[in-house]
Structure formats: C-alpha cells, structure tokens
Amino acid sequence: MNKKLSVKIYHGYGHTHNLVLYGHVFKFKAKTKQGFSRNFLVNMVHLFKLFMVKPYPFARVRLHFNTQVIHQKAAYDGFFKFEWQAQENVAAGWHQVRVDAVDEADQVLATANGEIFVPHITQYAFISDIDDTVMVSHSAKLGRRLKELFTRNPRTRKTFAMTQMHYQLLANAHTEATQPNPFFYVSSSEWNLYDYLVETFRFNQLPEGAFLLNQLKRWKSLFKTGKTGHEGKLLRVMRIIDAFPKQRFIFFGDNSQQDPVIYHTIAKRYPQNIAAVYIRNIRPKKQKETLALLSELEQSQIHTCLFTNSEEAISHSKKIGLIA
C-alpha cells in the first residue's frame, strides 16, 4: 500500500433500495490529532492541518458491502459517491462498509472502513443546518467566524442553549427509545471539518446522524471557509428527501444567510413531505422577509416557527404535537 495515499469515508445513509456513501481519496493528508487545547496557537495549527490536503483526482475506488462489490471513480477533487441497491433487505441501524482505492490492475493502494446509517421506519425525520442553528458561528461575518474556528476546539465550541434538549426530545418523539427519529446535518462548511463537527456534536450529546457538507477546500482557501455552496446545500437536502419519499421532514435553520430561501424553495417543491420549518432569528434585520417566506409555507399547511431561543421552539413543537 501507498502510505501517503489515504481514503476517508463519511457516514452514509439510506435504505435497502437506495444506499448512499460519500468519501475522498487523498494523495496527501496532514496528520492531525485533536488535543482539545484552549491554546489559540495549538487550535490554529490543528485547523490549518485540516486544510492541508492534496486530493487524488479520478481515483478508482471499490466498495465492499456485505457480499456486494461495487466499482466507481472519484471526481476531479478526489470526492467519490456510491449509490446502490442492496441485494438483500438491510435492517435498521449502522452497517459496516469498506472502500479501497485501487490501481489499474485492481491492486489495493489504500483502504478505509466506514458505516452506513439505515433509519427505522419512523413518522418524522429531521434536517438541520449547523452554523448559527446549532453552533454559535457568526457565519455572516467572516472575521468573527474565523475567530470562533481558530480560538476554540470542538469541545469548547458554543452550542445554543437548550438545542440539545430540543433535538433529543424530537429524536425520541412518537417512536421507541431504541428506534430514534433520524437526523441529517447539512451545512455549507467543508468536508475538511467533518471530524471536527462530529466531535462537537457527540461531546454536546446531540443526536447521532449523517453529515452532508460542502466541497473540500485547500489551505489557500481556508479564509473562505463556509462562504460558498448554498446551491449545493439545496441539492443535498433534496437528495435526502428523494431517498426517503415516505418520510415527513422537519427543517431547522437560521436567517443569517440563505436557509429561509432554501427551505422555502424545497417546501414548495415537496409540500407533502414537509411537516414544519424552524428558523432561528439570528439577524433581526431579516425578520420581516423571513416571516414573509414562512407565511407562504403556512398557506401550504406547513407549520413554521421563527424563534430567538430554543425554549420558544420547544414550546412550538409541543403545541403542534411533535413532542409531548
């Protein structure tokens, strides 16, 4: 195996007839070990290393899932996507997969193990933005956003008060404790921050789920992190809905950037699939236009809530019967 070459797998999702897995192949990826330091320089170096990557363009990749073997080719930026139908019924829960990067002779160059999340058949599923919806990020202001990234580690990043409580109540509502409602976390943040975000969510005891992030960036573009990809975010959300056409979805976002417009567009296209839209009121200056978009959705029998703190959102969820 090529020791510099590596495969990175992100949590996949789906069901028997539509399984999806994403990942990257790297020619080089800086070694990183998060020490959860409070030291500014230590955190800055760690963050910088997350963007020290050299993708392997058009790499050949091979997926192993149970007895199935599926071949694919990565894109120009080393990103690969497998989408397939299982040969046998796949039970709800987490399932192991393996992906190999191979040469022209099918010799393994690098390999990685990953997991696919198959939700139980539940009444609801949740799609949540991350920055300024779950975590305090100051996305609309580049300087403050970079300060949050550079000065904090995944365990010192601030999450909004009572968000964890709200999300856990929703995860366990109208279902059994062993069959939580699925969560999908969709963000304009780059795949470089995947492990960082997973650690933040686990440390803060937010529901486990699948993360769908934005196109990988190199270190030269570090200072542009999170500033692009809103169109891609819309497509990622629509792919989730297409994968689970029988599920009813609840959206969570904020009005610091484009979430109200994105969710409005999707809800208009899939009115029967959307049960409710929650928007955190991060920018009061945009409150009027946000309310106008939400008002249109209310006319389509979609519940909406513009909230400043999660206590208001919890109260609304109880009012419409999402939680007891």
Side-chain angles (χ1 to χ4, degrees):
M1 289 194 186
N2 186 328
K3 292 185 178 179
K4 290 185 178 180
L5 204 71
S6 63
V7 178
K8 177 66 176 177
I9 301 175
Y10 312 111
H11 282 161
Y13 63 90
H15 52 78
T16 301
H17 303 292
N18 188 356
L19 294 165
V20 181
L21 184 75
Y22 301 105
H24 276 98
V25 183
F26 297 105
K27 284 188 174 180
F28 170 81
K29 188 174 186 290
K31 291 184 179 180
T32 57
K33 185 178 180 181
Q34 179 69 61
F36 308 114
S37 170
R38 293 180 180 271
N39 184 286
F40 167 80
L41 290 175
V42 172
N43 288 328
M44 185 172 70
V45 169
H46 176 74
L47 184 71
F48 185 75
K49 283 184 175 181
L50 296 179
F51 288 79
M52 288 287 291
V53 295
K54 185 177 181 181
Y56 190 149
F58 311 113
R60 297 180 66 209
V61 285
R62 183 174 65 200
L63 168 75
H64 298 264
F65 176 70
N66 295 334
T67 59
Q68 291 179 264
V69 178
I70 302 164
H71 294 264
Q72 186 58 275
K73 183 177 283 189
Y76 71 94
D77 59 353
F79 182 76
F80 61 80
K81 173 186 177 182
F82 286 98
E83 189 166 8
W84 75 102
Q85 181 172 329
Q87 292 175 341
E88 300 175 353
N89 286 334
V90 182
W94 292 93
H95 297 267
Q96 298 294 313
V97 295
R98 189 180 90 234
V99 174
D100 304 323
V102 298
D103 61 17
E104 295 295 328
D106 272 348
Q107 296 298 306
V108 177
L109 302 173
T111 190
N113 296 312
E115 292 181 305
I116 288 181
F117 175 54
V118 177
H120 291 270
I121 299 174
T122 57
Q123 187 174 358
Y124 295 111
F126 299 86
I127 296 177
S128 176
D129 176 54
I130 296 174
D131 293 310
D132 289 320
T133 300
V134 176
M135 300 193 317
V136 177
S137 302
H138 307 290
S139 298
K141 298 179 180 179
L142 180 60
R144 295 188 71 182
R145 173 177 170 78
L146 291 175
K147 182 181 178 181
E148 285 291 323
L149 277 171
F150 282 128
T151 61
R152 300 180 186 275
N153 66 61
R155 295 186 179 181
T156 58
R157 284 297 296 270
K158 289 184 179 180
T159 58
F160 288 100
M162 297 184 72
T163 299
Q164 181 267 353
M165 175 182 175
H166 191 194
Y167 280 27
Q168 288 291 0
L169 285 170
L170 292 167
N172 295 310
H174 305 286
T175 186
E176 297 177 14
T178 57
Q179 301 179 3
N181 295 309
F183 268 77
F184 300 90
Y185 300 110
V186 183
S187 174
S188 294
S189 292
E190 297 78 14
W191 285 112
N192 306 69
L193 297 173
Y194 177 80
D195 290 333
Y196 179 106
L197 292 171
V198 169
E199 177 62 32
T200 298
F201 276 57
R202 285 179 176 168
F203 182 75
N204 286 282
Q205 299 181 328
L206 287 148
E208 285 283 328
F211 286 75
L212 290 94
L213 306 179
N214 194 25
Q215 190 173 25
L216 197 77
K217 278 189 171 69
R218 306 286 293 276
W219 67 269
K220 294 178 181 179
S221 301
L222 172 58
F223 293 99
K224 297 179 182 178
T225 175
K227 296 301 292 181
T228 57
H230 297 299
E231 298 82 4
K233 186 174 179 179
L234 184 148
L235 292 174
R236 289 193 291 276
V237 173
M238 290 197 297
R239 286 186 188 127
I240 296 170
I241 297 172
D242 287 337
F244 301 98
K246 296 181 181 179
Q247 212 96 29
R248 297 206 74 201
F249 286 88
I250 290 87
F251 293 158
F252 280 87
D254 63 87
N255 63 355
S256 66
Q257 298 189 71
Q258 298 297 316
D259 285 349
V261 174
I262 292 171
Y263 291 163
H264 177 271
T265 301
I266 295 169
K268 283 293 186 180
R269 180 167 177 174
Y270 302 89
Q272 302 303 316
N273 299 83
I274 315 303
V277 176
Y278 286 81
I279 300 293
R280 188 181 293 278
N281 192 19
I282 292 294
R283 297 185 68 184
K285 290 183 179 179
K286 297 179 70 174
Q287 179 171 326
K288 186 176 179 180
E289 60 185 272
T290 303
L291 285 171
L293 289 169
L294 296 181
S295 178
E296 285 190 33
L297 298 184
E298 288 279 355
Q299 294 173 20
S300 300
Q301 308 303 310
I302 296 171
H303 296 291
T304 68
C305 177
L306 180 66
F307 65 99
T308 303
N309 58 69
S310 292
E311 191 172 7
E312 299 170 69
I314 291 171
S315 178
H316 180 272
S317 293
K318 290 179 179 178
K319 180 181 176 182
I320 65 173
L322 278 179
I323 56 180

